[in-house]
Amino acid sequence: MHTLKFSGQSSSNGIVERDFTIGDVPGVLWSPASGAGERAPLVLLAHGGGNHKKHPAMSGRAKLLVAGCGFHVAVLDAPGHGDRPRTAHDEAEIAEMFRARAAGEPEGPIIVRYNAHLAELAVPEYQAALDALQQLTEIGSEGPVGFWGLNMGTAIGVPLVASDPRITAAVFGQHWPDVLAEKAKQITVPIEFDMQWDDEHIPREAGLALFDAFASKEKTLHANSGKHKELPRFEADSAVRFFARHLGRPITSAS
């Protein structure tokens, strides 16, 4: 049995933020302050490479989901990120990525390899966290669960969703199909997929190949013009509507 230990709590604008650990893995849970203890769906987030559990992208998405839908939202620090120490393997892969960048060489093969390694570690951590979070009265084991992760979050999320039937809807995007395509073929839940049409790192054909690999009967491609880091902010609003639709909670406030 995995035990969740809370280590701190704060509240702002109707949202309660609670730090927790599962073993030695740190995470954060955002919940609505009103109706404390009332059961609501859970959305798991996964951050991008080089970021952490409370990166503005994570806290921003969480606030949209909590304020707009009354969901609970949780995210973990990935291995070697945030409050977790880097291993010698982490340092070597990061150094290789920066070397390739400085030399004008493609970073993709290095990122794909490193993200696959991190996903092998992170997937069981997310499953353990989900086990523990579902023991909370306000979440429970019967409610729907969503997943939202882009970039490295997709590298973690695809094998996670493929292996865990508790997750019933997911938002992915901005990653190469290498390694992930075979797992994507095992996913049949509704998905929304984001990609940048002019991504300087992930070729257009690669993004389309990953989207095409999903076996979901309901899957929606959101392709926007712009480079890798120019994903429009309105895609976050779209993801909130997606989860509201599939996890069964109407949007109750402007997101």
Side-chain angles (χ1 to χ4, degrees):
M1 186 69 69
H2 303 287
T3 303
L4 184 150
K5 296 181 179 179
F6 287 110
S7 57
Q9 178 174 315
S10 62
S11 181
S12 176
N13 298 318
I15 298 174
V16 176
E17 177 182 297
R18 289 178 283 177
D19 296 318
F20 66 82
T21 55
I22 302 288
D24 59 357
V25 179
V28 58
L29 174 65
W30 289 276
S31 300
S34 61
E38 179 183 350
R39 187 156 292 184
L42 170 69
V43 176
L44 299 173
L45 304 182
H47 62 76
N51 295 333
H52 56 85
K53 61 185 180 297
K54 293 187 180 181
H55 185 273
M58 297 296 97
S59 60
R61 292 169 192 172
K63 290 172 183 175
L64 289 174
L65 288 164
V66 176
C69 303
F71 292 160
H72 301 282
V73 182
V75 60
L76 305 179
D77 274 333
H81 289 70
D83 294 325
R84 304 181 67 177
R86 288 180 178 174
T87 65
H89 185 269
D90 294 326
E91 297 289 1
E93 291 286 64
I94 292 167
E96 179 63 9
M97 182 181 65
F98 282 117
R99 183 207 62 76
R101 183 178 301 173
E105 299 172 2
E107 301 172 29
I110 302 164
I111 296 173
V112 166
R113 180 183 68 211
Y114 183 39
N115 282 356
H117 166 74
L118 294 177
E120 288 182 2
L121 303 174
V123 167
E125 293 173 351
Y126 265 91
Q127 291 178 316
L130 182 52
D131 290 343
L133 288 164
Q134 287 190 322
Q135 295 174 41
L136 298 176
T137 302
E138 61 267 37
I139 295 176
S141 60
E142 302 302 321
V145 179
F147 178 89
W148 185 357
L150 305 179
N151 302 298
M152 187 181 76
T154 287
I156 293 170
V158 169
L160 172 64
V161 176
S163 63
D164 201 315
R166 293 174 292 182
I167 301 172
T168 56
V171 175
F172 298 122
Q174 296 191 286
H175 207 279
W176 296 261
D178 316 58
V179 180
L180 297 183
E182 288 305 311
K183 292 292 184 182
K185 292 176 183 178
Q186 301 172 28
I187 293 176
T188 59
V189 302
I191 67 162
E192 190 165 282
F193 189 90
D194 297 325
M195 64 176 286
Q196 289 299 95
W197 206 242
D198 310 299
D199 197 312
E200 70 274 29
H201 301 299
I202 305 171
R204 187 178 300 171
E205 296 75 13
L208 291 172
L210 181 53
F211 172 75
D212 191 51
F214 289 99
S216 307
K217 289 184 179 179
E218 181 180 336
K219 58 179 182 179
T220 305
L221 175 66
H222 287 203
N224 289 281
S225 62
K227 295 186 176 181
H228 186 74
K229 293 187 177 181
E230 296 175 348
L231 183 71
R233 290 185 178 272
F234 60 69
E235 288 297 352
D237 297 324
S238 176
V240 171
R241 292 192 296 270
F242 170 84
F243 286 118
R245 189 163 65 249
H246 290 290
L247 303 185
R249 281 291 184 100
I251 295 175
T252 57
S253 64
S255 59

